[in-house]
Amino acid sequence: MTGRPGTERRDPLDRRVARRAEGVLRAANESGALEAADVHVAQRLGRLTGEDEPAVLLATALVVRAVRQGSVCLDLAGVDLDGVDLGVAASAVRDGAAWTRAVAASRLAAAGAVHVDHGLVYLDRYLREEQQVEQDLRARGDQAPPVVETARLEAALEDWFPSAGGGADGAPDFTEQRAAAARAATSWTTVVTGGPGTGKTTTVARLLGTLLDVAPGPLRVALAAPTGKAAARMTEAVQAAVARSDVPAAHREQLSDLRATTLHRLLGWRPGSQTRFRHDRHDPLPHDVVVVDETSMVSLTLMARLLEALRPQTRLVLVGDADQLASVDAGAVLHDLVDGLEGAGDTRVGGTGAVARLTRTHRYDDTIGALAEAVRTGDADAALAALHDGRGAVRLVTPGSADDDLVAVARRLLDAARGAEPGAALAALEQHRLLLAHRAGEYGVAHWNRRIERRLREETATAGGAWGGEWYAGRPLLVTANDYGLGLFNGDTGVVVRQPGGGLVARLADGSPDGRALPVSRLADVETAHAMTVHRSQGSQFRRVTVVLPPPDSPLLTRELLYTAVTRAQESVTVVGTADAVRAAVERPARRASGLARRLTDPATA
C-alpha cells in the first residue's frame, strides 16, 4: 500500500464502513486506511483458518487493498499507517521485517491463503499466477529457437524493411522495425515496445509479412487486444499498413484478411467463469503466431491464461507502450516484462534480446512529442514549458474555461446524429475526446457528462426543440461489459443516431463507415461518453484531446495517467487544470508492487 490513509473519521452509515469490524481492523477502516471489502475478506479468511492475530489480519486486509489498487503483492516495510490507532498491534507492526515473519508463521500462511515470498506478501492466487507467467516464459525460452534459414530471412527483411534510404529524401527509416522483425523471426517470445506513433502496428504488419516469407508452410495468425475498441484499431492499422504502395504484393491478400479480436474471445468465453477460458494447456490455441496489441492493458491473470493456452512452438509477439497506464486489474505486466526480459541478459527467458524498442515518433508534431517526453521522463519544468509555449498544439487552461469548447464538440455530434448521418456521427465521435482521472465527484466522468448534457438541453430548449430523455440522437455510448450474445465488448464505442424514417438506433463503431446498427432497447451495459476515464481511452487515438486534471492531492493523478492522456492525441492537447496539478502528476510515478520483473531477471528468485 502506498500513500497515507485519511485522517477523517467516516460516518458509521457510510457504505465503506465495516460495522462488525473490531480492534485494529475497525480503526484502520474508520480512518480510511481500509475499505469495508478489505476488512470483510481478512475477517472471512481469519474465521476459515482460525487466525485471530490482529497484526496478521491487518496485513491480510492491506494485501487485499493492494490488489484492489492494482498491485500483485505488498511489502509490509513500506506501509504507512500514520493516523491509525493500532492498539495492541502497534508493537507487532512497528518492524516491517518482523511483521512479515509473523505473517509467514501464521495460520493463514499455513493454510495457503497468504504467502510470503522474498519478503513480499501475496494472496494465494496472485503468487501462483506470477510464478506461472515466469515459468511459462522461461520454458518458452529454454526451447531451441525457431529454425530460420539465414539467407531467406535477410531477403525477407530487405523486402519488407528496405535498408536503402534510411530516412533520407522522405524514404522511411526501418532500422528499428527491421531489428524487431528479425527478433520475432528467431525467438518464440518478442516484446515490441514504444510510445504512440512509433510505428508499432506498422511494424506488426510488416513483421507478419516477414514471418510468412520465411515459414516453411502456411501460418495460422491471430491478432488480439484486451478490448473491442483496441482490437478494431489494430485491425484498421494493420490493413492501412498493408495497403501502402511500398508493401510487397506477396501475402498482401492474406494480411489484408486478418481481423483482430479481443483476448477473451480468442481464448474462448466459458459461461460462468471470469478467469478461465476454453483454451488452456489441455486445449491450446491452434495458431502459429499470436500478436497482442496494447499489452499494457493486460492484467496478470489474463497474461497467465494466454501463456497457458499457447502451444510451445507458437510465436508470441507482445506489443505496447510500457510507460502507459497499467491494467485496471492487478499487475503491470508489460512494464515488468520489459524490465525483466531486458535485465535477463543472456538467460533464455525469452531469448537474448527479446525486447525491441521503437523510439522514432510519427503520430504527432514536435510540440506534443516534447510534452509527452517531458511527462514520461518526469521533467515537470519541461512539461510546463511545453504547455506554456505549445504554439496552439498543446496548452494549459484554467478550470472552467474549456466548457464552451467542449459543448461545441458535443453539439457537432448532435447535429450529425440528428441529420440521420451515421458515418458523419461516428467520424465526429472520433475527432475529440474529453478524458478524466476519476469516475465520480467534481472531477469525474459522471459529473462532466451531466454538465455537458445540461448545456445541450438548455440550448435545445432555447431553440424550441425536443430533447428526448435518456436516449437522444447524438448521445455518445461506451459499452461497459461484454455481451457475447450481441457481440459487444467492454470498451466498444458508438453513438445514437436518428433514422431517416424517425426513431433512434445505436451505431456501434466496427471499422465500417456507418458502423453496426443495433436497437437502443437491446443495449443494457452502456453509459454516456461525452467524457471517459483515461483508462478507457487506451487503445484509441483522437485528433484532439482535452484532459481535466483533479487537484494535486488526488491519488489517481500520476505520471502514467497524464502521459497516457497526452499520447491519445494526434493534433492537439488541452490540459484543464493548474500548474501545481501538472507538476504533481509528472513527479508522481504510479507504483505497483510485483515480483515478476525480479523473477525474470534472476532465476534464483523464481
Short mmCIF file of all heavy atoms in Angstrom, two decimals, residues 29 95 129 181 251 273 313 381 447 482 506 522 542 560:
data_model
loop_
_atom_site.label_atom_id
_atom_site.label_comp_id
_atom_site.label_asym_id
_atom_site.label_seq_id
_atom_site.Cartn_x
_atom_site.Cartn_y
_atom_site.Cartn_z
N ASN A 29 -10.22 0.90 9.25
CA ASN A 29 -11.36 1.17 8.38
C ASN A 29 -11.96 2.55 8.66
O ASN A 29 -12.25 3.32 7.73
CB ASN A 29 -12.42 0.07 8.58
CG ASN A 29 -13.70 0.31 7.79
OD1 ASN A 29 -14.79 0.29 8.34
ND2 ASN A 29 -13.57 0.55 6.49
N ASP A 95 8.07 -3.01 13.14
CA ASP A 95 9.20 -3.50 12.36
C ASP A 95 8.65 -4.31 11.18
O ASP A 95 8.06 -5.38 11.37
CB ASP A 95 10.09 -4.38 13.25
CG ASP A 95 11.32 -4.90 12.52
OD1 ASP A 95 11.31 -4.95 11.28
OD2 ASP A 95 12.30 -5.25 13.20
N GLU A 129 -0.19 -17.12 -10.05
CA GLU A 129 -0.20 -16.57 -11.40
C GLU A 129 1.15 -15.95 -11.77
O GLU A 129 1.63 -16.12 -12.90
CB GLU A 129 -1.33 -15.56 -11.54
CG GLU A 129 -2.71 -16.20 -11.54
CD GLU A 129 -3.84 -15.20 -11.59
OE1 GLU A 129 -3.59 -13.99 -11.36
OE2 GLU A 129 -4.99 -15.61 -11.84
N ALA A 181 11.54 -7.23 -36.24
CA ALA A 181 11.09 -8.36 -37.05
C ALA A 181 12.10 -9.50 -37.02
O ALA A 181 11.73 -10.68 -36.96
CB ALA A 181 10.85 -7.91 -38.49
N HIS A 251 1.66 -12.14 -50.14
CA HIS A 251 0.94 -12.28 -48.86
C HIS A 251 0.06 -11.08 -48.53
O HIS A 251 -0.54 -11.05 -47.46
CB HIS A 251 1.90 -12.53 -47.70
CG HIS A 251 2.92 -13.59 -47.95
ND1 HIS A 251 2.58 -14.87 -48.31
CD2 HIS A 251 4.28 -13.56 -47.89
CE1 HIS A 251 3.67 -15.59 -48.47
NE2 HIS A 251 4.72 -14.80 -48.24
N SER A 273 -17.60 -18.25 -15.82
CA SER A 273 -16.25 -18.01 -15.31
C SER A 273 -15.71 -16.72 -15.89
O SER A 273 -15.86 -16.44 -17.08
CB SER A 273 -15.32 -19.16 -15.69
OG SER A 273 -13.99 -18.87 -15.27
N GLN A 313 5.46 -24.14 -29.55
CA GLN A 313 6.03 -23.63 -30.80
C GLN A 313 5.16 -22.56 -31.45
O GLN A 313 5.18 -22.40 -32.67
CB GLN A 313 6.29 -24.77 -31.79
CG GLN A 313 7.51 -25.61 -31.46
CD GLN A 313 7.24 -26.57 -30.30
OE1 GLN A 313 6.16 -27.15 -30.21
NE2 GLN A 313 8.21 -26.72 -29.42
N ASP A 381 9.36 20.71 -15.11
CA ASP A 381 9.66 22.04 -15.65
C ASP A 381 9.52 22.04 -17.17
O ASP A 381 8.95 22.97 -17.76
CB ASP A 381 11.08 22.47 -15.27
CG ASP A 381 11.20 22.79 -13.78
OD1 ASP A 381 10.17 23.13 -13.17
OD2 ASP A 381 12.31 22.69 -13.24
N HIS A 447 -19.93 13.54 -13.52
CA HIS A 447 -20.19 14.98 -13.36
C HIS A 447 -20.06 15.70 -14.71
O HIS A 447 -20.92 16.52 -15.07
CB HIS A 447 -19.21 15.57 -12.35
CG HIS A 447 -19.23 17.07 -12.28
ND1 HIS A 447 -20.19 17.77 -11.59
CD2 HIS A 447 -18.42 18.01 -12.86
CE1 HIS A 447 -19.97 19.06 -11.71
NE2 HIS A 447 -18.90 19.24 -12.48
N ASN A 482 -18.91 -6.99 -21.37
CA ASN A 482 -19.00 -7.87 -22.52
C ASN A 482 -20.42 -8.42 -22.65
O ASN A 482 -21.03 -8.83 -21.65
CB ASN A 482 -18.02 -9.04 -22.40
CG ASN A 482 -16.57 -8.59 -22.43
OD1 ASN A 482 -16.26 -7.53 -22.96
ND2 ASN A 482 -15.69 -9.39 -21.87
N ALA A 506 -28.78 2.75 -32.35
CA ALA A 506 -27.39 2.90 -31.94
C ALA A 506 -26.48 2.42 -33.06
O ALA A 506 -26.73 1.37 -33.66
CB ALA A 506 -27.11 2.10 -30.67
N ARG A 522 -31.96 -2.83 -26.97
CA ARG A 522 -31.18 -4.04 -26.69
C ARG A 522 -29.90 -3.75 -25.92
O ARG A 522 -29.18 -4.67 -25.54
CB ARG A 522 -30.84 -4.76 -28.00
CG ARG A 522 -32.06 -5.20 -28.81
CD ARG A 522 -31.66 -6.18 -29.89
NE ARG A 522 -31.17 -7.43 -29.33
CZ ARG A 522 -30.65 -8.42 -30.06
NH1 ARG A 522 -30.51 -8.27 -31.37
NH2 ARG A 522 -30.23 -9.54 -29.50
N PHE A 542 -7.28 10.12 -31.06
CA PHE A 542 -8.23 11.13 -31.49
C PHE A 542 -7.44 12.32 -32.05
O PHE A 542 -6.29 12.54 -31.69
CB PHE A 542 -9.10 11.58 -30.31
CG PHE A 542 -9.64 10.44 -29.50
CD1 PHE A 542 -9.00 10.04 -28.33
CD2 PHE A 542 -10.75 9.73 -29.92
CE1 PHE A 542 -9.47 8.97 -27.58
CE2 PHE A 542 -11.24 8.67 -29.18
CZ PHE A 542 -10.60 8.28 -28.02
N GLU A 560 1.88 8.31 -15.28
CA GLU A 560 1.36 7.41 -16.32
C GLU A 560 0.00 7.86 -16.82
O GLU A 560 -0.31 7.74 -18.01
CB GLU A 560 1.28 5.98 -15.77
CG GLU A 560 2.62 5.31 -15.57
CD GLU A 560 3.36 5.78 -14.32
OE1 GLU A 560 2.79 6.56 -13.52
OE2 GLU A 560 4.52 5.36 -14.14
#
